[in-house]
Amino acid sequence: MAERKKITIIVRMGKKLKKEGEKITTSPEECEALKKGPHGVEEKSMLEILVKCNPADLTTFRKNSPYIFLDDGYCFEKWDPFHMKSLEIEFLRFQRAVIQRTMHPWERDALLVRKSLEEKPPLYNLLIELACTRTSDEFLGARKAFQCLYSESVEEFVAVKVQGFQRRLLVALVSTYRYEGMRIDEAAIKLECQKLARAIKTYQRNEIENDDEVLRILTTRSKHHLKTIHKCYKEDYDSNLEEDLDDIKILRDTVNCLCAPPIYFSKILDTTMSICPSEQEMEALTRVIVTRTNVDMKDIAAEFDTKYGAPLIERIEAAALGNYRDFLVALVNRGMAN
């Protein structure tokens, strides 16, 4: 293997050289610390490199990084605005994670509700996640916080922002206060399982989305009741309910969030750490780790390991950098120890 190429830089202490002619070699991998990472930045490495770099070294770095700095024709290299903005975002990623972790859950979820429908395109799955993976009391608290923060109800906010079938479903989901106990009606479960199967197998997509019984079952029944329906559907029809709804993402996400949150969250995490995720997808990494640490992180990590063939912590360590990586790994370890 060819010897790894080295970049030679002269080290100064203030305005004076440590020792005339003294040099230190810095590998290309170290210089990568001056660039943004997929999630976060290597603050420690960046500090060490920038402290020992003199102006000439930084000039060399700028000239050898045309994908970061642009030659503007006036004998100096200027930051590429896109890369500069991206680097600023990565510096902020750790800060935002800390803020979300310390924020009251009601306020955090209220802000996420607002964000879900103000993004372009809107994040219906995020709104469904908030309404369906929180307990009735937790989401009621978020609704109270939303009114305090924005002087309007979650229901009216969703009704104004969303149109068509999506409005009917989402307004119903954010309005409901589900029974949290374990009591179920076996006869109703069998009947409602049949109704869902009939809607899926015989209706066209728009008919399923507008079926009153489908909406009633998904938006009013307790989670324990729905999980039992989910199990009954698998036993009776040899298929998973969410798989048969795969073409209707909004209903599939609803079923997954209500009946199998670890499956839903593990898929979100895998997407956030895939090749070239969008900024919305990268933000989900912070959201999921921070909000599920004290809830079901052990189940999510087990599902992730089983489905994607790699431990969640290893994937985070490979995808994230610096303080942000260490913070997420610490939260996952805490959640798995609970």
Side-chain angles (χ1 to χ4, degrees), residues 38 50 58 60 69 87 92 130 187 193 223 268 272 294 302 323:
L50 290 176
L58 292 173
T60 300
F69 297 93
L87 189 59
L92 289 173
L130 296 166
C193 181
K223 293 178 183 177
I268 292 288
T272 68
N294 298 322
N323 292 332

Side-chain angles (χ1 to χ4, degrees), residues 6 16 69 76 86-87 143 148 154 192 211 217 232 272:
K6 297 285 186 178
K16 183 178 179 181
F69 297 93
F76 77 97
S86 298
L87 189 59
R143 289 161 64 187
C148 176
V154 170
E192 290 171 355
D211 187 283
I217 294 167
C232 178
T272 68

Side-chain angles (χ1 to χ4, degrees), residues 266-267 269-270 273 300-316 318:
S266 64
K267 184 174 182 179
L269 289 172
D270 178 64
M273 295 181 283
I300 293 170
E303 175 65 27
F304 188 94
D305 191 359
T306 299
K307 190 166 185 178
Y308 301 105
L312 176 58
I313 288 178
E314 287 186 10
R315 284 285 299 276
I316 293 173

Side-chain angles (χ1 to χ4, degrees), residues 61-116:
F61 171 72
R62 289 192 296 268
K63 288 182 178 295
N64 291 336
S65 305
Y67 41 88
I68 303 178
F69 297 93
L70 305 175
D71 183 355
D72 74 338
Y74 289 92
C75 300
F76 77 97
E77 309 80 26
K78 66 178 183 179
W79 267 100
D80 181 308
F82 175 79
H83 191 90
M84 182 164 58
K85 181 66 176 177
S86 298
L87 189 59
E88 289 173 352
I89 290 173
E90 297 308 326
F91 270 114
L92 289 173
R93 208 172 291 285
F94 173 57
Q95 174 186 317
R96 291 168 178 166
V98 171
I99 291 172
Q100 285 192 38
R101 173 64 177 171
T102 56
M103 193 176 288
H104 193 291
W106 293 4
E107 180 184 13
R108 183 176 61 216
D109 283 353
L111 294 174
L112 289 171
V113 166
R114 192 83 176 184
K115 176 183 177 64
S116 70

